[in-house]
PDB file of all heavy atoms in Angstrom:
ATOM      1  N   LEU A 461      17.116  13.843   8.970  1.00  0.00           N
ATOM      2  CA  LEU A 461      17.389  13.937   7.556  1.00  0.00           C
ATOM      3  C   LEU A 461      18.611  14.709   7.200  1.00  0.00           C
ATOM      4  O   LEU A 461      19.286  14.523   6.215  1.00  0.00           O
ATOM      5  CB  LEU A 461      16.155  14.400   6.773  1.00  0.00           C
ATOM      6  CG  LEU A 461      14.997  13.381   6.710  1.00  0.00           C
ATOM      7  CD1 LEU A 461      13.728  14.060   6.271  1.00  0.00           C
ATOM      8  CD2 LEU A 461      15.334  12.232   5.802  1.00  0.00           C
ATOM      9  N   GLU A 462      18.832  15.781   8.049  1.00  0.00           N
ATOM     10  CA  GLU A 462      19.974  16.642   7.760  1.00  0.00           C
ATOM     11  C   GLU A 462      21.304  15.957   7.996  1.00  0.00           C
ATOM     12  O   GLU A 462      22.362  16.442   7.562  1.00  0.00           O
ATOM     13  CB  GLU A 462      19.947  17.823   8.777  1.00  0.00           C
ATOM     14  CG  GLU A 462      18.968  18.932   8.353  1.00  0.00           C
ATOM     15  CD  GLU A 462      18.688  19.838   9.507  1.00  0.00           C
ATOM     16  OE1 GLU A 462      19.448  19.895  10.478  1.00  0.00           O
ATOM     17  OE2 GLU A 462      17.662  20.518   9.484  1.00  0.00           O
ATOM     18  N   THR A 463      21.303  14.815   8.665  1.00  0.00           N
ATOM     19  CA  THR A 463      22.632  14.255   9.078  1.00  0.00           C
ATOM     20  C   THR A 463      22.826  12.870   8.400  1.00  0.00           C
ATOM     21  O   THR A 463      23.479  11.987   9.024  1.00  0.00           O
ATOM     22  CB  THR A 463      22.692  14.073  10.641  1.00  0.00           C
ATOM     23  OG1 THR A 463      21.573  13.279  10.994  1.00  0.00           O
ATOM     24  CG2 THR A 463      22.636  15.413  11.341  1.00  0.00           C
ATOM     25  N   MET A 464      22.284  12.653   7.255  1.00  0.00           N
ATOM     26  CA  MET A 464      22.263  11.325   6.636  1.00  0.00           C
ATOM     27  C   MET A 464      23.506  11.007   5.783  1.00  0.00           C
ATOM     28  O   MET A 464      23.636   9.885   5.274  1.00  0.00           O
ATOM     29  CB  MET A 464      20.934  11.095   5.868  1.00  0.00           C
ATOM     30  CG  MET A 464      19.766  10.847   6.764  1.00  0.00           C
ATOM     31  SD  MET A 464      19.907   9.273   7.766  1.00  0.00           S
ATOM     32  CE  MET A 464      20.557   9.894   9.272  1.00  0.00           C
ATOM     33  N   GLU A 465      24.411  12.009   5.538  1.00  0.00           N
ATOM     34  CA  GLU A 465      25.472  11.728   4.566  1.00  0.00           C
ATOM     35  C   GLU A 465      26.370  10.551   5.052  1.00  0.00           C
ATOM     36  O   GLU A 465      26.631   9.641   4.305  1.00  0.00           O
ATOM     37  CB  GLU A 465      26.328  12.951   4.336  1.00  0.00           C
ATOM     38  CG  GLU A 465      27.244  12.872   3.108  1.00  0.00           C
ATOM     39  CD  GLU A 465      26.651  12.167   1.888  1.00  0.00           C
ATOM     40  OE1 GLU A 465      25.465  12.437   1.562  1.00  0.00           O
ATOM     41  OE2 GLU A 465      27.327  11.296   1.280  1.00  0.00           O
ATOM     42  N   PRO A 466      26.690  10.445   6.350  1.00  0.00           N
ATOM     43  CA  PRO A 466      27.524   9.293   6.803  1.00  0.00           C
ATOM     44  C   PRO A 466      26.771   7.999   6.651  1.00  0.00           C
ATOM     45  O   PRO A 466      27.398   6.944   6.319  1.00  0.00           O
ATOM     46  CB  PRO A 466      27.703   9.579   8.361  1.00  0.00           C
ATOM     47  CG  PRO A 466      27.485  11.013   8.474  1.00  0.00           C
ATOM     48  CD  PRO A 466      26.557  11.486   7.439  1.00  0.00           C
ATOM     49  N   VAL A 467      25.399   7.992   6.733  1.00  0.00           N
ATOM     50  CA  VAL A 467      24.665   6.791   6.512  1.00  0.00           C
ATOM     51  C   VAL A 467      24.781   6.381   5.034  1.00  0.00           C
ATOM     52  O   VAL A 467      24.932   5.152   4.728  1.00  0.00           O
ATOM     53  CB  VAL A 467      23.227   6.934   6.945  1.00  0.00           C
ATOM     54  CG1 VAL A 467      22.377   5.754   6.583  1.00  0.00           C
ATOM     55  CG2 VAL A 467      23.177   7.235   8.430  1.00  0.00           C
ATOM     56  N   ARG A 468      24.740   7.315   4.163  1.00  0.00           N
ATOM     57  CA  ARG A 468      24.774   7.035   2.773  1.00  0.00           C
ATOM     58  C   ARG A 468      26.170   6.468   2.446  1.00  0.00           C
ATOM     59  O   ARG A 468      26.339   5.451   1.705  1.00  0.00           O
ATOM     60  CB  ARG A 468      24.469   8.265   1.925  1.00  0.00           C
ATOM     61  CG  ARG A 468      23.026   8.545   1.803  1.00  0.00           C
ATOM     62  CD  ARG A 468      22.668   9.647   0.837  1.00  0.00           C
ATOM     63  NE  ARG A 468      22.896  10.924   1.359  1.00  0.00           N
ATOM     64  CZ  ARG A 468      21.978  11.673   1.955  1.00  0.00           C
ATOM     65  NH1 ARG A 468      20.740  11.150   2.086  1.00  0.00           N
ATOM     66  NH2 ARG A 468      22.161  12.849   2.450  1.00  0.00           N
ATOM     67  N   GLU A 469      27.189   7.071   3.042  1.00  0.00           N
ATOM     68  CA  GLU A 469      28.541   6.609   2.788  1.00  0.00           C
ATOM     69  C   GLU A 469      28.745   5.117   3.277  1.00  0.00           C
ATOM     70  O   GLU A 469      29.270   4.281   2.569  1.00  0.00           O
ATOM     71  CB  GLU A 469      29.567   7.438   3.617  1.00  0.00           C
ATOM     72  CG  GLU A 469      30.437   8.326   2.807  1.00  0.00           C
ATOM     73  CD  GLU A 469      31.218   9.249   3.724  1.00  0.00           C
ATOM     74  OE1 GLU A 469      31.896   8.831   4.595  1.00  0.00           O
ATOM     75  OE2 GLU A 469      30.973  10.525   3.517  1.00  0.00           O
ATOM     76  N   LEU A 470      28.214   4.905   4.416  1.00  0.00           N
ATOM     77  CA  LEU A 470      28.262   3.566   5.046  1.00  0.00           C
ATOM     78  C   LEU A 470      27.565   2.565   4.076  1.00  0.00           C
ATOM     79  O   LEU A 470      28.092   1.481   3.807  1.00  0.00           O
ATOM     80  CB  LEU A 470      27.573   3.554   6.387  1.00  0.00           C
ATOM     81  CG  LEU A 470      27.351   2.172   7.020  1.00  0.00           C
ATOM     82  CD1 LEU A 470      28.610   1.702   7.662  1.00  0.00           C
ATOM     83  CD2 LEU A 470      26.253   2.237   8.106  1.00  0.00           C
ATOM     84  N   ALA A 471      26.342   2.924   3.593  1.00  0.00           N
ATOM     85  CA  ALA A 471      25.608   2.083   2.692  1.00  0.00           C
ATOM     86  C   ALA A 471      26.432   1.685   1.482  1.00  0.00           C
ATOM     87  O   ALA A 471      26.496   0.565   1.078  1.00  0.00           O
ATOM     88  CB  ALA A 471      24.265   2.756   2.368  1.00  0.00           C
ATOM     89  N   ARG A 472      27.027   2.701   0.944  1.00  0.00           N
ATOM     90  CA  ARG A 472      27.829   2.429  -0.342  1.00  0.00           C
ATOM     91  C   ARG A 472      29.018   1.500   0.001  1.00  0.00           C
ATOM     92  O   ARG A 472      29.312   0.594  -0.812  1.00  0.00           O
ATOM     93  CB  ARG A 472      28.372   3.746  -0.947  1.00  0.00           C
ATOM     94  CG  ARG A 472      27.275   4.650  -1.502  1.00  0.00           C
ATOM     95  CD  ARG A 472      27.826   5.773  -2.284  1.00  0.00           C
ATOM     96  NE  ARG A 472      28.481   6.752  -1.470  1.00  0.00           N
ATOM     97  CZ  ARG A 472      27.878   7.874  -0.984  1.00  0.00           C
ATOM     98  NH1 ARG A 472      26.584   8.027  -1.142  1.00  0.00           N
ATOM     99  NH2 ARG A 472      28.612   8.715  -0.210  1.00  0.00           N
ATOM    100  N   SER A 473      29.530   1.650   1.176  1.00  0.00           N
ATOM    101  CA  SER A 473      30.709   0.771   1.536  1.00  0.00           C
ATOM    102  C   SER A 473      30.275  -0.681   1.816  1.00  0.00           C
ATOM    103  O   SER A 473      31.051  -1.577   1.806  1.00  0.00           O
ATOM    104  CB  SER A 473      31.446   1.290   2.806  1.00  0.00           C
ATOM    105  OG  SER A 473      30.625   1.036   3.937  1.00  0.00           O
ATOM    106  N   LEU A 474      28.950  -0.902   2.005  1.00  0.00           N
ATOM    107  CA  LEU A 474      28.505  -2.285   2.307  1.00  0.00           C
ATOM    108  C   LEU A 474      27.868  -2.931   1.084  1.00  0.00           C
ATOM    109  O   LEU A 474      27.209  -3.959   1.198  1.00  0.00           O
ATOM    110  CB  LEU A 474      27.506  -2.208   3.480  1.00  0.00           C
ATOM    111  CG  LEU A 474      28.095  -1.821   4.849  1.00  0.00           C
ATOM    112  CD1 LEU A 474      27.004  -1.757   5.900  1.00  0.00           C
ATOM    113  CD2 LEU A 474      29.248  -2.746   5.243  1.00  0.00           C
TER     114      LEU A 474
END
Side-chain angles (χ1 to χ4, degrees):
L461 287 168
E462 279 164 21
T463 56
M464 285 296 95
E465 196 41 44
V467 173
R468 283 190 276 270
E469 247 171 61
L470 171 76
R472 291 191 290 270
S473 76
L474 295 179

